[in-house]
Amino acid sequence: MVDQKLKGRVLFEKIGKPTRIVAPMVDQSELAWRVLSRRYGATLCYTPMFHAKLFATSEKYRKEMWCDLDGDTELDRPLVVQFCANDPEYLLEAAKLVEDKCDAVDLNLGCPQGIAKKGHYGSFLMEEWELIHKLIRTLHDNLKVPVTAKIRVFPEQQKTLDYAKMVLDAGAQFLTVHGRLREQKGQKTGLADWDIIKFLRKELPQDTVFFANGNILYPEDIERCSEYINCDAVMSAEGNLYNPGVFNVEHIGDKDKTFPRVDRLAREYFNIIKNECSESLASRKAMKSHFFKLLRPFLPHHTDIRANIAALNAKSSLDEWEQKVVIPVEETVRKIFEDPTIDDTVVTLEKQLWGGSYKTVPYWRCQPYFRPVNGVTADKRVVEELESKKRQAETPLEKEKEKELKLD
């Protein structure tokens, strides 16, 4: 069976050589979101992370997470289905249930959350190489479709390289590297390390299909990442969640495609759920979270709409969502644009030490979210940290110059 399956480059070419990927996210990369993201430039999507044992044994869980439209050849491809697991048999049983509705099955080795630690999966398997090898090999040897894997990095480059080689040796046909440590999550997220991803890309066999994940804020960052690392594709999680237009690299300069207005995107997303993905329970369940993220810069200015979203849930009717959220957002933005003095300009600021530039985006447009910690947002923390490192690196040189001057 292994010899009949598509491998590596052949698989990559068959699914169209995708370069912009929606990351697998818990309850967040479900069907309706994938449909929306493809309209805004995504060329490959991963499902949310599914729990293999529950998917294999619980019909209720499967119905909540998966429906007949998931993996539909017209609506939802190319598609990679991701599972977290620590038992090869349950993993295979779960994967068998979706192998006819996807292009590959992915093993999650990157989830850093507390639930992954408690359940013993994701990045909390990083020290158990024998188990990881068996999980991947079991799928490689027994599935109709290929297996892929998504990993995080160790602090040591060589250990990370050895780890990546083991994953590939086990049978993974694509390798996605998230350039953060297991400890980098939530308030400790920080910058992903593109240098270690670049190191892996250089040291691994050149025919490895290699995806990079981390530090994508704007469409320009995708090309910058691809060129710096020399990867096949760039994956985004939070960048995509707060602004699906982050993938619209072919329309840089067109703010309606790269930083879409929240009223238009809210309507488009709602219509996808209502008209194309109505049978997807996962899409209904995720709707509230997605609206909060899409409207994040908008809601502090219009707290009545935020209160409306907070009062709704997955059991609320679509009519309630439309009347209490979608239409009020549309009416509010319409009034904003009736003001002849409105400044709807997206401004690119000066280049930063991390290699890219921040932008100021009007609050009625989708944009990245910079998580605050102790009142300081992530963008400012990153700048301060990099400037501090730069000063520390310059200090020894300055001392040497002082010595030379004294000697003179």
Side-chain angles (χ1 to χ4, degrees):
M1 183 178 294
V2 173
D3 292 336
Q4 298 173 358
K5 286 192 298 192
L6 297 177
K7 297 181 181 179
R9 288 278 151 203
V10 177
L11 171 64
F12 185 61
E13 291 177 7
K14 178 181 180 290
I15 63 175
K17 294 196 257 186
T19 57
R20 305 177 295 277
I21 307 173
V22 174
M25 295 170 281
V26 179
D27 298 332
Q28 297 287 278
S29 52
E30 81 301 327
L31 179 61
W33 190 257
R34 299 195 298 268
V35 173
L36 178 71
S37 295
R38 288 187 176 99
R39 292 184 183 180
Y40 283 83
T43 49
L44 172 63
C45 294
Y46 282 58
T47 66
M49 179 187 74
F50 298 146
H51 190 289
K53 184 175 181 179
L54 289 176
F55 200 92
T57 61
S58 171
E59 184 178 357
K60 179 177 181 293
Y61 179 83
R62 282 199 303 277
K63 286 183 177 180
E64 290 176 348
M65 298 295 172
W66 187 260
C67 71
D68 288 341
L69 286 175
D70 283 286
D72 180 82
T73 53
E74 298 296 324
L75 185 68
D76 192 31
R77 301 291 276 272
L79 179 70
V80 176
V81 177
Q82 189 190 69
F83 290 103
C84 64
N86 55 32
D87 184 297
E89 296 309 313
Y90 280 126
L91 176 59
L92 178 60
E93 187 178 345
K96 283 282 188 182
L97 295 171
V98 301
E99 64 179 347
D100 293 321
K101 297 291 294 289
C102 64
D103 298 284
V105 169
D106 187 81
L107 177 63
N108 181 307
L109 297 171
C111 183
Q113 304 304 324
I115 190 173
K117 183 176 183 179
K118 183 178 179 181
H120 191 54
Y121 56 77
S123 66
F124 295 94
L125 298 181
M126 286 177 70
E127 285 77 21
E128 300 182 46
W129 292 15
E130 185 176 340
L131 173 58
I132 290 173
H133 195 282
K134 187 173 183 180
L135 289 166
I136 296 172
R137 177 60 67 176
T138 297
L139 295 188
H140 180 63
D141 287 344
N142 295 284
L143 274 190
K144 294 179 185 176
V145 294
V147 58
T148 66
K150 183 171 186 283
I151 66 172
R152 284 198 173 219
V153 299
F154 291 96
E156 306 85 8
Q157 283 192 344
Q158 186 59 48
K159 185 174 182 179
T160 306
L161 176 59
D162 293 340
Y163 180 48
K165 287 180 176 178
M166 178 275 294
V167 168
L168 293 173
D169 176 74
Q173 301 304 306
F174 298 165
L175 181 68
T176 303
V177 180
H178 186 162
R180 290 186 173 94
L181 306 174
R182 180 169 58 203
E183 294 73 25
Q184 287 181 276
K185 59 184 177 182
Q187 294 187 351
K188 298 179 180 179
T189 298
L191 278 175
D193 186 349
W194 282 7
D195 287 329
I196 195 168
I197 305 178
K198 183 177 182 179
F199 168 78
L200 295 176
R201 168 66 282 183
K202 181 180 178 182
E203 296 298 324
L204 290 171
Q206 287 305 297
D207 63 347
T208 302
V209 179
F210 190 95
F211 303 154
N213 181 203
N215 296 355
I216 304 302
L217 298 175
Y218 307 107
E220 293 90 338
D221 295 328
I222 292 178
E223 183 178 2
R224 194 168 59 84
C225 178
S226 181
E227 290 182 353
Y228 186 79
I229 294 171
N230 190 31
C231 54
D232 293 291
V234 176
M235 178 180 283
S236 175
E238 277 205 343
N240 162 254
L241 281 181
Y242 289 94
N243 177 21
V246 74
F247 287 127
N248 248 335
V249 297
E250 295 172 358
H251 298 280
I252 290 175
D254 184 342
K255 62 189 174 188
D256 287 324
K257 293 184 182 298
T258 52
F259 301 97
R261 281 170 38 175
V262 295
D263 57 327
R264 293 172 178 172
L265 203 68
R267 169 59 67 181
E268 187 171 10
Y269 170 57
F270 175 78
N271 285 345
I272 289 171
I273 292 175
K274 180 179 180 180
N275 302 322
E276 298 180 59
C277 304
S278 59
E279 67 182 78
S280 172
L281 297 178
S283 295
R284 287 295 301 274
K285 182 180 177 182
M287 185 163 53
K288 181 172 184 171
S289 178
H290 281 307
F291 271 123
F292 268 127
K293 290 180 173 65
L294 289 176
L295 299 172
R296 188 211 58 79
F298 181 81
L299 295 177
H301 300 270
H302 304 283
T303 55
D304 55 327
I305 298 176
R306 179 167 61 191
N308 287 350
I309 298 174
L312 297 172
N313 56 49
K315 295 182 180 179
S316 302
S317 69
L318 289 178
D319 183 62
E320 285 182 282
W321 278 101
E322 185 170 25
Q323 294 300 321
K324 294 182 179 180
V325 179
V326 180
I327 291 176
V329 169
E330 291 176 319
E331 291 178 345
T332 302
V333 177
R334 177 179 55 79
K335 291 177 182 178
I336 290 173
F337 275 85
E338 287 176 351
D339 180 353
T341 66
I342 182 178
D343 184 359
D344 191 34
T345 307
V346 174
V347 179
T348 301
L349 304 178
E350 63 183 13
K351 186 176 179 180
Q352 300 292 321
L353 290 172
W354 50 267
S357 301
Y358 293 117
K359 298 176 185 289
T360 57
V361 183
Y363 75 81
W364 50 84
R365 291 186 177 276
C366 295
Q367 56 194 273
Y369 172 49
F370 301 104
R371 186 181 287 105
V373 178
N374 298 326
V376 182
T377 55
D379 54 333
K380 293 178 181 177
R381 292 199 312 275
V382 165
V383 170
E384 290 171 359
E385 181 181 344
L386 292 176
E387 287 180 344
S388 175
K389 288 181 179 178
K390 183 180 179 182
R391 287 194 298 269
Q392 290 173 10
E394 290 174 346
T395 299
L397 292 176
E398 291 170 355
K399 287 182 178 179
E400 286 298 321
K401 288 179 179 178
E402 287 177 7
K403 289 181 181 177
E404 289 176 7
L405 289 171
K406 287 179 181 179
L407 290 172
D408 289 344

